[in-house]
Every structure is written in structure tokens, then in C-alpha cells.
Amino acid sequence: MKEIIRQYRQLRDEVDQLASKLSEVHSDHMACRKGCCGCCMNLSVWPVEFYSIVEEMKRFEWDKPTFNEKAACDFLKDGLCSIYPFRPIICRTHGLPLVYWHEETEPPGYGVMFCEKNFKGTDGIDFGSDNTLNMDEVNEKLARINLVFLDEQKYPSLESDTRIEMRKLLDYL
Ligand code: SF4
Ligand code: SF4
């Protein structure tokens, strides 16, 4: 496996571990459950993530997904993600309290975002670095990995250095 893909998957594993820890910490305040898919939408991803997903799905001989054009995300099937083991990093953070830098607030600063179905009646919850996921840090690491990937990539037909719609997966499987 290419070193840079290994680094992407390491980041993905780190996010999975943090997501699992945070889901446990906040279990009393989260409504997330199997079949709830209000957070799903058609996404685009960086080429490194796209390539990694294609490579892994081919290696595991995953059934080519069929699109559900009526769903918010093409990959939703009966309310479930049909590419769940390979889903992008952002999908692994759904519902968690995510920290982003907000430039537009006065004064600019970090803010916490989460699904409106979660953390209801939790006015007193004290969000901090120990119980949130800093997505700016994750995205920065991902962007750096993607830059190295683009510099090295020799993947046929994957010429774009911009984000790629996940629905294009079908063209590569
Ligand atoms: S890829 Fe899967 S988890 Fe991500 S938005 Fe689509 S259906 Fe939801
Ligand atoms: S983030 Fe919201 S919409 Fe998505 S599974 Fe959790 S509760 Fe449902």
C-alpha cells in the first residue's frame, strides 16, 4: 500500500477511535441510531479519500452500490449506508459535537456544532477539548495528506486536484 494511503487510513482510524470515545462520553445526549439518516447528504471528497475508498472497495470485492436518486445521499439504501465500512471521514463524525473556527462571529472564535436531534436540554453541558472533536485539525491533516497524494499520484483517470463527488465511485468500481 502506498505510504500516503496508509497515512490517510491512519487518520481515519484516529477519527474512528475519537468518535467511538465521544459517542460513549455523550451517550445520554445522542439520538443517533441505526436507520436515522437525516445527516446524510451527497458529498464530495478529496482525491486521496476517493482513491482510498475505490481501492478498498475493489480489494474487498464489495458489491457495486446501486444509486438511490431519491435519497439525500445516493448511497442510502433503506435508511442505511450501503458503503458503511468505506464511508468518508466526515460521515464518521455525524452527530458528535464538532469544533470549527468561526471567522464570521464577533469576535471570531471556536464554536461547537452538532445535529439538532442531539444534545437537547443540555444547556449546562460544558464543551471543551476533552469532549469534542476539532474538525479544523482533522481537515488540516487531511488537506496535507491530500497534497502529498496529488504530488505523487499516478492513479489512471484521476486527474482532478479538486474535490470529487462520491457518486463518481460508480465510474471507478
Ligand atoms: S456515504 Fe453513507 S454515511 Fe456518508 S452520507 Fe452517504 S449514506 Fe450517509
Ligand atoms: S447525526 Fe442526527 S440525523 Fe444523523 S444519525 Fe445522529 S441523530 Fe440521526
Side-chain angles (χ1 to χ4, degrees):
M1 186 201 307
K2 285 183 177 190
E3 168 58 19
I4 199 63
I5 297 298
R6 193 197 60 73
Q7 285 182 30
Y8 161 73
R9 290 186 186 151
Q10 186 178 324
L11 176 62
R12 188 182 68 177
D13 290 347
E14 283 168 18
V15 170
D16 271 347
Q17 281 165 22
L18 276 168
S20 164
K21 186 187 129 202
L22 289 175
S23 297
E24 215 175 301
V25 167
H26 295 299
S27 59
D28 290 347
H29 305 298
M30 291 182 66
C32 295
R33 66 189 191 289
K34 209 170 177 178
C36 184
C37 52
C39 48
C40 290
M41 63 178 80
N42 279 319
L43 297 167
S44 61
V45 293
W46 292 115
V48 67
E49 188 154 42
F50 189 85
Y51 169 83
S52 173
I53 292 170
V54 170
E55 191 279 330
E56 224 172 12
M57 287 182 76
K58 279 184 172 171
R59 189 155 40 89
F60 286 95
E61 299 180 354
W62 198 257
D63 282 348
K64 197 168 177 166
T66 47
F67 276 170
N68 180 358
E69 300 280 355
K70 289 185 186 148
C73 173
D74 290 328
F75 297 104
L76 276 171
K77 202 172 174 190
D78 302 325
L80 301 177
C81 176
S82 61
I83 58 165
Y84 190 78
F86 315 107
R87 69 202 186 287
I89 284 179
I90 189 67
C91 301
R92 295 160 193 263
T93 68
H94 285 165
L96 298 171
L98 307 178
V99 171
Y100 292 93
W101 180 261
H102 293 272
E103 194 60 44
E104 68 286 359
T105 55
E106 190 47 52
Y110 282 109
V112 182
M113 297 175 70
F114 44 80
C115 171
E116 60 186 20
K117 294 183 184 175
N118 292 338
F119 302 101
K120 284 186 171 164
T122 54
D123 289 349
I125 196 161
D126 198 9
F127 286 121
S129 57
D130 59 334
N131 62 3
T132 56
L133 179 54
N134 188 321
M135 283 308 285
D136 285 340
E137 282 178 15
V138 172
N139 287 333
E140 194 183 316
K141 284 182 192 171
L142 183 54
R144 271 204 224 109
I145 290 170
N146 185 59
L147 280 179
V148 176
F149 173 77
L150 288 177
D151 205 39
E152 298 176 345
Q153 69 105 0
K154 300 278 187 289
Y155 192 63
S157 314
L158 190 57
E159 290 156 7
S160 169
D161 61 355
T162 54
R163 294 177 73 86
I164 303 172
E165 286 179 35
M166 280 289 289
R167 57 171 54 190
K168 295 225 163 110
L169 264 184
L170 286 199
D171 298 343
Y172 290 85
L173 293 172

